[in-house]
Structure formats: structure tokens, C-alpha cells
Amino acid sequence: MSGQVRGVQLARLLGQWHALPGRRRSPDYAALAAAVRGLLADARLPLGVRLPAERELAEALRISRTTVTAAYRELRETGHLASRRGAGSWTMLPANHRVASTGLWTPVDDRDMIDLGVAALAAPPQLLDAARAATEDLPRYLGGAGYHPTGIIELREAVADGYTARGLPTSADQIMVTSGTQHALDLVLRLALPPGGSVLVESPTYPNALAALSGRRARITTHGLSVDAGGWEPDLLLGSLRQTRPKLAYLIPEFQNPTGHLMPAALREQVAAVAHAVGTDLIVDESFVDLPLGGTELPPPVAAFDRHSRVVSIGGMSKPYWGGLRIGWVRASAPQVQRLAAVRVGVDMSSPVLDQLVAVHLLADAATIVAERRVQLAAQRDALLGALAHRLPDWRVNVPRGGVTLWAELDGPVSSALARAAEEVGVRLAPGPRFGLDGTLERFLRLPFTLPAADLVEAVGRLAAVRYDLDRAGRQRWREPAVIA
Ligand SMILES: Cc1ncc(COP(=O)(O)O)c(C=O)c1O
């Protein structure tokens, strides 16, 4: 979405805006203003975009102009809209709010919030020792300028060894260290995606990947994943690749965010073969590859089936170790790594040396740290599943065999309304539509199991209460069919 949102676009994003908690008690204009605030809070409506003129939105929503006028007035009063006479109205961040890591808006004083908007663990206890050891290594680097566009050699070697251990022989010159996986994705897109180029993504998918693609003006097409165990529908996925022949496809084959699905080996092989046949390059995001739970066997990496340098793998330390480290990487052919490094110099030169040294120490202790993470995550996943079965038995969930998230199919298209209501009772959610395009996926909700079990159980209890209230507030409305991708 660029600097301006059209009436029809906003109407599509607003979806069932009238289906709000407590709806019967509030007038139309207040419900509309609350729905716009909800879109702003979860970043589906960006900051600084111009909203449609009142008449245009009134026509798109088939409501009176006075209702829109009153809703815009309320948004101005709450600090969500700035207007200039004759010029229009722009979305803005109200006072006392900040943009959180997820891209969601957060009140500055939200310390008591149970935040299920973020799918990442707190740092492991070993991090402090790794940081201390890194400072002792630092003098070895202080004699140089400290710029290493592809990363310091010891970290590149450690990452390459990780791939080799997974059955994909890799040398250090095939690795470029980045400042997180998101940075890796951005750099790869800068290199591989021409303006307006087409990209196939899963639906649902990781919202910040969608943001990176929009930022590069990609033309996005989607492949729908099911909630059930299989996830990818092989014929449909391969068919989409053959028909749309996209420039790129972005896939998360290991414990996909948000569904938690694991792509089977046979499909990996087929995807690599078809991608080559139709001229598509694959960006494979391996963020969760270290986190199989309960003895789940991992298939070979997608790149193991690649004979033609079609696959660029990206990954990083954020999920198994800590997001605050900001260490990620790209695995590609050695010439591609050099081209990426040339692009990177124009962006941020290189990653911090000290943080890379911390990463080296953590990777040296990987067996212990990651094993502990898996035990922790399996216990938290089971606590979440147990609480859902007990308190929200009508929600359909698939048991993820790894990763950090599960994808619940709700008992109605209420995800955004539920997120707004949950905020009131101290639970932050990333509603389903964040994970797709154009306001679809209202029937789904991502639930991460990265918080302690007691918090997860408490959060589900609060959600169950709120869900019940939503039903009482406007049951008829939510039974209307909604578009689900
Ligand atoms: C699939 C996926 N890719 C990338 C990222 C971003 O990772 P990083 O913190 O390493 O930039 C995440 C974080 O949630 C993710 O789930």
C-alpha cells in the first residue's frame, strides 16, 4: 500500500467492522473508528498514509457521510489521524505509543501485557558467558578496521559447518553473515528481484516477509496452506509455480511461521526441480530448522536438491538463541555471496564484530543450548494445547512438530475483533489477517508458545472469556460468510 489508501481498499481491510465487541452499545461512527484503530494497531494500515475522502469511504462502505465524518473526528481526537483542510487526513501514531518489533503499535506502558504478538524466546542463560568470552576474543580484531561485509571468518565457518552437518556440504565462502534473517531477506530481494517482479509466497506467511516484499514493490501471489497436518498441497503448489512462473518463491519449509508445518522431502525435491524448469529462484527461510520437537526427523534441506544454484537459503540465531543478537546469514553460491556483499556495502557495510563473536561462542555450545530450548518449547506447546482443548474446544488446531507457533482455526471470522477485545484484558494478539493479503484469514489466529507455560494458560483463559463476550455482543453478524484465503 503506498501513500494513499482508496475507499474500496479500506473497505476491504475493514471487513466486518461493525462486528465489534460491545457493538450493540456503541454507535456506528465509534465502531468504525475502533475498527480503523485496530487496523493501525496491527500495522495492516501503515503510518502516514492518506485515508480516503469522507464521501469516497461512505460510498465504499454504503453508509452515510455523517458517520464517516464523525469517525474521522474521533480518530483525530484520539491522535490517530491528522487532517489539513483541503489536503486530506493522514494516519499517525498517537502520543504514548511506540512501534514494537512486530510492527504492531503498543502503548508505551504495556508491561503487564501478555504479548502473544511476538514469536520469540527470551535469551538463554548461556548468553552472558558467550558475551564475556567474546570480549576476550575481540582484541584479535581491533588491529583492523572492523568491516567484514561477508562476516568474520570464524562465524562463516561455524555456520557452514552447521549446513555440512545437516548433509549439505558448504564452505565458508558460501556464507554471508547478516544482521538477522530479515536483513538477509531484504538483501536477497535487492539482488534478485527487479522492480515489480513477481513472487509466490505461502498463505499464511510471515508478515515481515510480506512487508519486505511490498517494500520492493513485488507482485505477490499466494499458495494457500491448510491447517491440517499436510500443509502444502503438492499439486497446487507445483501447479502455481508452473502457471505463474514467478521470478521468486519465498518458502518456510521447516515449522512454517505461522502454521508450524514441515515440508516433506519429496515435495522439497519436486519444488526444486519445477522451480528450475520454470526459471524461478527459491528463497528458503530456515528460521526454525533447529527446533524440531519430540524427536521429529528433519528432511534434507531444500538446497540439497538444488543442482543449478536456484536456491538461496536464509536463516539465523533469533529463534533458537536470541533475537536481540541480530545475527542471521545467507547460504548461496560463492559468486552470489560476493554479489550480495557488494549490495550490502551500500546498505549497512557489515555486521558488528562483537556480536558475531558472541554468535561463534553460542554455536560452539549449540548442542546443549538448542536441546534445552527444544525441551522448553515442547513443554510450553503442550501447555498451550492443553489450555486450548480445555477452554476453547471449538477451535481447531494442528499439533506442530516443531518451531514456536501454532495456527488455530477459530469458530468464526472474528480474529481482528478478538484481538481488539483481548487487548482490553491484557493479551496482545497478532490476528490472522496479518499473515495474508487483503484482509483475508479472519477465521485464523497465530498463537506462539514462546512464553512460560503459566502465561500461556492465563492468556487462553482470558481469550476464552473475551470470545464468550464477543458472541453475546453480536452473534448474528459473525455468522455471515467471510472470504478466507
Ligand atoms: C520466518 C521468519 N523469518 C524471519 C524472521 C526474522 O528473524 P530475525 O530476527 O533473524 O531477523 C522471523 C521472525 O519471526 C521469522 O519467523
Side-chain angles (χ1 to χ4, degrees):
M1 197 177 295
S2 64
Q4 181 168 9
V5 54
R6 315 282 336 162
V8 281
Q9 272 179 302
L10 185 53
R12 204 166 46 231
L13 285 173
L14 284 165
Q16 305 202 1
W17 59 275
H18 30 70
L20 277 170
R23 177 70 191 89
R24 284 191 185 140
R25 293 185 297 276
S26 64
D28 277 356
Y29 80 86
L32 179 57
V36 171
R37 274 197 297 274
L39 289 176
L40 285 165
D42 72 27
R44 273 181 280 159
L45 197 54
L47 289 176
V49 289
R50 195 161 84 191
L51 291 193
E54 290 167 5
R55 182 175 321 133
E56 186 187 336
L57 184 58
E59 275 167 19
L61 292 174
R62 297 206 190 91
I63 57 176
S64 80
R65 184 171 166 183
T66 36
T67 302
V68 179
T69 306
Y72 278 18
R73 188 186 315 119
E74 179 174 311
L75 289 167
R76 271 192 296 278
E77 282 165 12
T78 54
H80 292 84
L81 210 58
S83 302
R84 249 186 307 131
R85 191 177 290 279
S89 300
W90 285 265
T91 55
M92 59 184 270
L93 194 68
N96 304 325
H97 279 63
R98 63 189 166 84
V99 178
S101 58
T102 47
L104 307 179
W105 288 20
T106 316
V108 173
D109 57 345
D110 68 341
R111 263 178 239 111
D112 296 334
M113 186 68 82
I114 302 180
D115 193 347
L116 297 184
V118 180
L121 291 162
Q126 293 87 348
L127 196 113
L128 273 183
D129 280 344
R132 283 193 200 101
T135 55
E136 309 214 331
D137 291 342
L138 192 58
R140 284 195 276 117
Y141 284 87
L142 297 181
Y147 295 114
H148 305 268
T150 53
I152 62 171
I153 185 65
E154 14 188 343
L155 181 53
R156 298 172 74 199
E157 277 169 355
V159 173
D161 290 349
Y163 280 102
T164 304
R166 282 172 55 208
L168 182 62
T170 301
S171 57
D173 61 1
Q174 289 178 267
I175 301 295
M176 177 165 110
V177 177
T178 60
S179 299
T181 315
Q182 184 70 19
H183 182 220
L185 174 60
D186 182 69
L187 290 174
V188 172
L189 293 178
R190 282 170 196 261
L191 184 69
L193 189 67
S198 54
V199 182
L200 178 75
V201 302
E202 294 140 342
S203 175
T205 189
Y206 175 54
N208 293 341
L210 290 175
L213 290 168
S214 306
R216 308 234 54 86
R217 303 263 181 273
R219 275 187 296 121
I220 304 173
T221 52
T222 56
H223 165 70
L225 300 185
S226 72
V227 174
D228 302 307
W232 297 266
E233 182 49 62
D235 290 344
L236 291 181
L237 176 57
L238 301 174
S240 302
L241 281 172
R242 288 197 187 96
Q243 273 159 24
T244 57
R245 306 171 83 90
K247 177 78 186 77
L248 295 174
Y250 168 79
L251 302 171
I252 313 171
E254 286 92 15
F255 314 118
Q256 203 256 1
N257 184 358
T259 61
H261 290 317
L262 177 62
M263 187 185 280
L267 184 55
R268 292 170 186 240
E269 183 166 13
Q270 288 168 314
V271 167
V274 172
H276 176 60
V278 301
T280 296
D281 290 327
L282 297 177
I283 305 178
V284 175
D285 187 330
E286 302 183 317
S287 286
F288 303 96
V289 72
D290 290 324
L291 299 173
L293 303 180
T296 298
E297 292 275 326
L298 278 180
V302 175
F305 300 105
D306 177 29
R307 315 259 171 278
H308 308 278
S309 297
R310 285 273 170 204
V311 176
V312 172
S313 309
I314 59 176
M317 310 279 290
S318 296
K319 301 303 160 171
Y321 301 89
W322 192 43
L325 259 185
R326 308 311 306 138
I327 294 290
W329 49 78
V330 179
R331 179 199 182 274
S333 68
Q336 281 172 316
V337 165
Q338 289 310 318
R339 288 202 290 277
L340 278 167
V343 171
R344 193 244 176 104
V345 167
V347 178
D348 71 337
M349 308 289 279
S350 63
S351 296
V353 171
L354 185 56
D355 305 31
Q356 294 184 69
L357 288 169
V358 178
V360 171
H361 283 281
L362 287 171
L363 289 178
D365 204 6
T368 312
I369 300 175
V370 175
E372 287 171 12
R373 298 302 238 186
R374 290 188 196 154
V375 170
Q376 177 190 355
L377 282 167
Q380 289 170 188
R381 174 198 62 184
D382 294 345
L384 177 59
L385 287 167
L388 287 171
H390 178 50
R391 303 300 305 271
L392 287 158
D394 292 340
W395 290 10
R396 211 156 64 86
V397 290
N398 176 48
V399 179
R401 292 187 292 142
V404 304
T405 57
L406 60 81
W407 185 236
E409 183 171 0
L410 312 183
D411 51 340
V414 295
S415 201
S416 296
L418 187 71
R420 286 194 291 270
E423 190 91 11
E424 301 295 313
V425 294
V427 178
R428 171 143 317 121
L429 299 174
R434 286 265 298 153
F435 300 83
L437 297 174
D438 285 345
T440 56
L441 303 173
E442 272 294 358
R443 194 177 282 274
F444 299 90
L445 181 66
R446 182 188 75 172
L447 292 170
F449 37 93
T450 42
L451 291 179
D455 288 356
L456 296 172
V457 172
E458 170 65 26
V460 170
R462 293 187 202 176
L463 290 184
V466 163
R467 178 68 190 96
Y468 174 72
D469 283 350
L470 280 184
D471 259 347
R472 290 198 310 169
R475 183 169 204 111
Q476 296 312 317
R477 300 278 194 184
W478 300 315
R479 297 295 175 216
E480 289 169 13
V483 186
I484 304 293

Short mmCIF file of all heavy atoms in Angstrom, two decimals, residues 182-224:
data_model
loop_
_atom_site.label_atom_id
_atom_site.label_comp_id
_atom_site.label_asym_id
_atom_site.label_seq_id
_atom_site.Cartn_x
_atom_site.Cartn_y
_atom_site.Cartn_z
N GLN A 182 15.79 -11.24 8.68
CA GLN A 182 15.02 -10.25 7.95
C GLN A 182 15.95 -9.43 7.04
O GLN A 182 15.62 -9.14 5.90
CB GLN A 182 14.30 -9.34 8.97
CG GLN A 182 13.39 -8.32 8.38
CD GLN A 182 12.13 -8.93 7.77
OE1 GLN A 182 11.77 -10.06 8.07
NE2 GLN A 182 11.48 -8.19 6.90
N HIS A 183 17.10 -9.09 7.57
CA HIS A 183 18.09 -8.36 6.78
C HIS A 183 18.57 -9.22 5.61
O HIS A 183 18.73 -8.73 4.48
CB HIS A 183 19.27 -8.01 7.72
CG HIS A 183 20.37 -7.23 7.09
ND1 HIS A 183 21.69 -7.48 7.36
CD2 HIS A 183 20.36 -6.21 6.21
CE1 HIS A 183 22.45 -6.64 6.68
NE2 HIS A 183 21.67 -5.86 5.99
N ALA A 184 18.76 -10.51 5.89
CA ALA A 184 19.17 -11.42 4.82
C ALA A 184 18.12 -11.41 3.70
O ALA A 184 18.46 -11.32 2.50
CB ALA A 184 19.33 -12.84 5.38
N LEU A 185 16.84 -11.46 4.08
CA LEU A 185 15.78 -11.47 3.07
C LEU A 185 15.82 -10.17 2.26
O LEU A 185 15.74 -10.19 1.03
CB LEU A 185 14.42 -11.63 3.76
CG LEU A 185 13.19 -11.52 2.86
CD1 LEU A 185 13.21 -12.59 1.77
CD2 LEU A 185 11.90 -11.63 3.68
N ASP A 186 15.96 -9.07 2.96
CA ASP A 186 15.97 -7.78 2.26
C ASP A 186 17.12 -7.70 1.25
O ASP A 186 16.94 -7.27 0.11
CB ASP A 186 16.08 -6.65 3.29
CG ASP A 186 16.05 -5.29 2.62
OD1 ASP A 186 14.99 -4.92 2.10
OD2 ASP A 186 17.09 -4.61 2.57
N LEU A 187 18.29 -8.18 1.66
CA LEU A 187 19.44 -8.11 0.76
C LEU A 187 19.23 -9.02 -0.46
O LEU A 187 19.54 -8.64 -1.60
CB LEU A 187 20.72 -8.52 1.49
CG LEU A 187 21.22 -7.53 2.55
CD1 LEU A 187 22.41 -8.12 3.30
CD2 LEU A 187 21.62 -6.20 1.90
N VAL A 188 18.71 -10.21 -0.21
CA VAL A 188 18.49 -11.13 -1.33
C VAL A 188 17.47 -10.53 -2.30
O VAL A 188 17.64 -10.59 -3.53
CB VAL A 188 18.02 -12.51 -0.82
CG1 VAL A 188 17.62 -13.40 -1.98
CG2 VAL A 188 19.12 -13.17 0.00
N LEU A 189 16.43 -9.89 -1.76
CA LEU A 189 15.43 -9.27 -2.64
C LEU A 189 16.05 -8.14 -3.46
O LEU A 189 15.75 -7.96 -4.63
CB LEU A 189 14.24 -8.75 -1.83
CG LEU A 189 13.38 -9.81 -1.15
CD1 LEU A 189 12.26 -9.15 -0.33
CD2 LEU A 189 12.78 -10.78 -2.16
N ARG A 190 16.90 -7.35 -2.80
CA ARG A 190 17.56 -6.26 -3.53
C ARG A 190 18.34 -6.80 -4.72
O ARG A 190 18.38 -6.20 -5.79
CB ARG A 190 18.55 -5.51 -2.63
CG ARG A 190 17.90 -4.55 -1.69
CD ARG A 190 18.91 -4.05 -0.68
NE ARG A 190 18.23 -3.43 0.43
CZ ARG A 190 18.07 -2.11 0.58
NH1 ARG A 190 18.58 -1.28 -0.30
NH2 ARG A 190 17.42 -1.64 1.60
N LEU A 191 18.97 -7.97 -4.52
CA LEU A 191 19.80 -8.52 -5.59
C LEU A 191 18.95 -9.23 -6.64
O LEU A 191 19.21 -9.13 -7.83
CB LEU A 191 20.80 -9.52 -4.99
CG LEU A 191 21.81 -10.10 -5.97
CD1 LEU A 191 22.79 -9.03 -6.42
CD2 LEU A 191 22.57 -11.26 -5.32
N ALA A 192 17.93 -9.98 -6.19
CA ALA A 192 17.29 -10.94 -7.09
C ALA A 192 15.96 -10.49 -7.66
O ALA A 192 15.46 -11.11 -8.59
CB ALA A 192 17.09 -12.27 -6.35
N LEU A 193 15.37 -9.42 -7.10
CA LEU A 193 14.02 -9.06 -7.54
C LEU A 193 14.01 -7.74 -8.27
O LEU A 193 14.22 -6.69 -7.65
CB LEU A 193 13.08 -9.00 -6.32
CG LEU A 193 11.60 -8.84 -6.66
CD1 LEU A 193 11.05 -10.08 -7.36
CD2 LEU A 193 10.78 -8.55 -5.40
N PRO A 194 13.73 -7.75 -9.56
CA PRO A 194 13.62 -6.46 -10.27
C PRO A 194 12.35 -5.75 -9.81
O PRO A 194 11.42 -6.39 -9.32
CB PRO A 194 13.51 -6.88 -11.75
CG PRO A 194 13.07 -8.30 -11.73
CD PRO A 194 13.49 -8.90 -10.42
N PRO A 195 12.27 -4.41 -9.97
CA PRO A 195 11.07 -3.69 -9.53
C PRO A 195 9.83 -4.29 -10.19
O PRO A 195 9.83 -4.56 -11.39
CB PRO A 195 11.31 -2.26 -10.03
CG PRO A 195 12.78 -2.18 -10.26
CD PRO A 195 13.29 -3.55 -10.56
N GLY A 196 8.81 -4.53 -9.37
CA GLY A 196 7.57 -5.10 -9.91
C GLY A 196 7.66 -6.59 -10.21
O GLY A 196 6.73 -7.17 -10.77
N GLY A 197 8.76 -7.21 -9.84
CA GLY A 197 8.92 -8.65 -10.10
C GLY A 197 7.90 -9.48 -9.32
O GLY A 197 7.40 -9.05 -8.29
N SER A 198 7.60 -10.69 -9.83
CA SER A 198 6.55 -11.49 -9.20
C SER A 198 7.15 -12.47 -8.20
O SER A 198 8.23 -13.04 -8.42
CB SER A 198 5.78 -12.25 -10.27
OG SER A 198 6.68 -12.99 -11.05
N VAL A 199 6.43 -12.65 -7.09
CA VAL A 199 6.91 -13.54 -6.02
C VAL A 199 5.75 -14.39 -5.53
O VAL A 199 4.67 -13.87 -5.25
CB VAL A 199 7.48 -12.73 -4.83
CG1 VAL A 199 8.02 -13.67 -3.76
CG2 VAL A 199 8.57 -11.78 -5.28
N LEU A 200 5.99 -15.69 -5.43
CA LEU A 200 4.99 -16.59 -4.86
C LEU A 200 5.32 -16.80 -3.38
O LEU A 200 6.47 -17.08 -3.03
CB LEU A 200 5.03 -17.94 -5.59
CG LEU A 200 4.05 -19.00 -5.07
CD1 LEU A 200 2.63 -18.69 -5.51
CD2 LEU A 200 4.46 -20.38 -5.53
N VAL A 201 4.32 -16.63 -2.52
CA VAL A 201 4.52 -16.89 -1.09
C VAL A 201 3.43 -17.82 -0.59
O VAL A 201 2.38 -17.95 -1.21
CB VAL A 201 4.48 -15.59 -0.25
CG1 VAL A 201 5.52 -14.59 -0.70
CG2 VAL A 201 3.09 -14.95 -0.28
N GLU A 202 3.69 -18.44 0.55
CA GLU A 202 2.66 -19.23 1.19
C GLU A 202 1.61 -18.29 1.80
O GLU A 202 1.92 -17.15 2.14
CB GLU A 202 3.29 -20.09 2.30
CG GLU A 202 4.24 -21.15 1.77
CD GLU A 202 5.48 -21.32 2.62
OE1 GLU A 202 5.78 -20.41 3.43
OE2 GLU A 202 6.16 -22.35 2.47
N SER A 203 0.42 -18.79 1.97
CA SER A 203 -0.61 -18.03 2.71
C SER A 203 -1.27 -18.98 3.70
O SER A 203 -1.83 -19.98 3.29
CB SER A 203 -1.67 -17.49 1.75
OG SER A 203 -2.69 -16.87 2.50
N PRO A 204 -1.12 -18.74 4.99
CA PRO A 204 -0.50 -17.59 5.62
C PRO A 204 1.03 -17.65 5.54
O PRO A 204 1.60 -18.71 5.31
CB PRO A 204 -0.94 -17.74 7.08
CG PRO A 204 -1.08 -19.22 7.28
CD PRO A 204 -1.63 -19.73 5.98
N THR A 205 1.64 -16.48 5.76
CA THR A 205 3.10 -16.44 5.81
C THR A 205 3.55 -15.40 6.83
O THR A 205 2.74 -14.75 7.49
CB THR A 205 3.69 -16.15 4.42
OG1 THR A 205 5.12 -16.33 4.47
CG2 THR A 205 3.41 -14.72 3.96
N TYR A 206 4.86 -15.26 6.93
CA TYR A 206 5.46 -14.37 7.93
C TYR A 206 5.22 -12.90 7.52
O TYR A 206 5.67 -12.49 6.44
CB TYR A 206 6.95 -14.70 8.01
CG TYR A 206 7.75 -13.80 8.89
CD1 TYR A 206 7.38 -13.57 10.20
CD2 TYR A 206 8.89 -13.18 8.41
CE1 TYR A 206 8.11 -12.74 11.02
CE2 TYR A 206 9.65 -12.35 9.22
CZ TYR A 206 9.25 -12.13 10.52
OH TYR A 206 9.98 -11.30 11.32
N PRO A 207 4.53 -12.12 8.35
CA PRO A 207 4.12 -10.76 7.94
C PRO A 207 5.28 -9.85 7.55
O PRO A 207 5.16 -9.06 6.63
CB PRO A 207 3.42 -10.19 9.19
CG PRO A 207 3.12 -11.33 10.06
CD PRO A 207 4.02 -12.47 9.70
N ASN A 208 6.42 -9.98 8.25
CA ASN A 208 7.51 -9.07 7.90
C ASN A 208 8.16 -9.45 6.57
O ASN A 208 8.81 -8.61 5.94
CB ASN A 208 8.55 -9.02 9.02
CG ASN A 208 7.96 -8.38 10.27
OD1 ASN A 208 6.96 -7.68 10.20
ND2 ASN A 208 8.56 -8.65 11.42
N ALA A 209 7.96 -10.68 6.13
CA ALA A 209 8.40 -11.04 4.77
C ALA A 209 7.49 -10.34 3.76
O ALA A 209 7.95 -9.79 2.75
CB ALA A 209 8.37 -12.54 4.56
N LEU A 210 6.19 -10.32 4.06
CA LEU A 210 5.26 -9.58 3.17
C LEU A 210 5.63 -8.11 3.13
O LEU A 210 5.60 -7.47 2.08
CB LEU A 210 3.82 -9.73 3.67
CG LEU A 210 3.19 -11.12 3.50
CD1 LEU A 210 1.81 -11.16 4.15
CD2 LEU A 210 3.08 -11.49 2.02
N ALA A 211 6.02 -7.57 4.31
CA ALA A 211 6.40 -6.15 4.37
C ALA A 211 7.66 -5.91 3.51
O ALA A 211 7.74 -4.92 2.77
CB ALA A 211 6.65 -5.73 5.81
N ALA A 212 8.62 -6.83 3.60
CA ALA A 212 9.85 -6.67 2.79
C ALA A 212 9.51 -6.73 1.31
O ALA A 212 10.06 -5.96 0.50
CB ALA A 212 10.87 -7.76 3.16
N LEU A 213 8.61 -7.63 0.94
CA LEU A 213 8.23 -7.76 -0.47
C LEU A 213 7.49 -6.52 -0.95
O LEU A 213 7.76 -6.01 -2.04
CB LEU A 213 7.35 -9.00 -0.67
CG LEU A 213 8.08 -10.33 -0.51
CD1 LEU A 213 7.09 -11.49 -0.43
CD2 LEU A 213 9.04 -10.56 -1.67
N SER A 214 6.58 -6.00 -0.12
CA SER A 214 5.87 -4.79 -0.51
C SER A 214 6.85 -3.63 -0.67
O SER A 214 6.74 -2.82 -1.58
CB SER A 214 4.82 -4.38 0.52
OG SER A 214 3.98 -5.44 0.77
N GLY A 215 7.83 -3.60 0.25
CA GLY A 215 8.83 -2.54 0.19
C GLY A 215 9.61 -2.56 -1.11
O GLY A 215 10.11 -1.53 -1.55
N ARG A 216 9.71 -3.73 -1.74
CA ARG A 216 10.43 -3.83 -3.02
C ARG A 216 9.45 -3.87 -4.19
O ARG A 216 9.80 -4.27 -5.29
CB ARG A 216 11.34 -5.06 -3.02
CG ARG A 216 12.25 -5.11 -1.81
CD ARG A 216 13.71 -5.25 -2.13
NE ARG A 216 14.22 -4.27 -3.04
CZ ARG A 216 14.68 -3.06 -2.68
NH1 ARG A 216 14.69 -2.69 -1.43
NH2 ARG A 216 15.14 -2.24 -3.57
N ARG A 217 8.20 -3.49 -3.88
CA ARG A 217 7.16 -3.40 -4.93
C ARG A 217 6.94 -4.72 -5.66
O ARG A 217 6.70 -4.74 -6.87
CB ARG A 217 7.53 -2.33 -5.96
CG ARG A 217 7.74 -0.95 -5.37
CD ARG A 217 6.47 -0.12 -5.53
NE ARG A 217 6.63 1.22 -5.01
CZ ARG A 217 6.43 1.58 -3.73
NH1 ARG A 217 6.08 0.68 -2.84
NH2 ARG A 217 6.57 2.82 -3.34
N ALA A 218 7.03 -5.82 -4.92
CA ALA A 218 6.82 -7.13 -5.56
C ALA A 218 5.36 -7.32 -5.93
O ALA A 218 4.47 -6.78 -5.28
CB ALA A 218 7.25 -8.22 -4.59
N ARG A 219 5.12 -8.07 -7.00
CA ARG A 219 3.75 -8.52 -7.30
C ARG A 219 3.61 -9.88 -6.64
O ARG A 219 4.29 -10.84 -7.02
CB ARG A 219 3.55 -8.65 -8.81
CG ARG A 219 3.16 -7.34 -9.48
CD ARG A 219 2.82 -7.57 -10.94
NE ARG A 219 3.98 -8.04 -11.69
CZ ARG A 219 4.04 -9.19 -12.35
NH1 ARG A 219 3.00 -10.00 -12.38
NH2 ARG A 219 5.13 -9.54 -13.00
N ILE A 220 2.74 -9.94 -5.63
CA ILE A 220 2.71 -11.14 -4.78
C ILE A 220 1.55 -12.05 -5.18
O ILE A 220 0.42 -11.59 -5.31
CB ILE A 220 2.58 -10.75 -3.29
CG1 ILE A 220 3.71 -9.80 -2.90
CG2 ILE A 220 2.56 -11.97 -2.41
CD1 ILE A 220 3.58 -9.22 -1.49
N THR A 221 1.84 -13.34 -5.37
CA THR A 221 0.76 -14.32 -5.50
C THR A 221 0.94 -15.32 -4.36
O THR A 221 2.02 -15.46 -3.80
CB THR A 221 0.79 -15.08 -6.84
OG1 THR A 221 2.11 -15.61 -7.02
CG2 THR A 221 0.46 -14.17 -8.00
N THR A 222 -0.18 -16.01 -4.01
CA THR A 222 -0.11 -16.85 -2.82
C THR A 222 -0.45 -18.31 -3.11
O THR A 222 -1.21 -18.61 -4.03
CB THR A 222 -1.08 -16.35 -1.72
OG1 THR A 222 -2.39 -16.30 -2.26
CG2 THR A 222 -0.68 -14.99 -1.23
N HIS A 223 0.11 -19.16 -2.27
CA HIS A 223 -0.27 -20.57 -2.26
C HIS A 223 -0.86 -20.86 -0.89
O HIS A 223 -0.19 -20.71 0.13
CB HIS A 223 0.97 -21.46 -2.50
CG HIS A 223 0.72 -22.89 -2.15
ND1 HIS A 223 -0.12 -23.68 -2.89
CD2 HIS A 223 1.15 -23.65 -1.12
CE1 HIS A 223 -0.18 -24.88 -2.33
NE2 HIS A 223 0.58 -24.90 -1.26
N GLY A 224 -2.12 -21.27 -0.85
CA GLY A 224 -2.81 -21.46 0.43
C GLY A 224 -2.38 -22.74 1.14
O GLY A 224 -2.31 -23.81 0.53
#
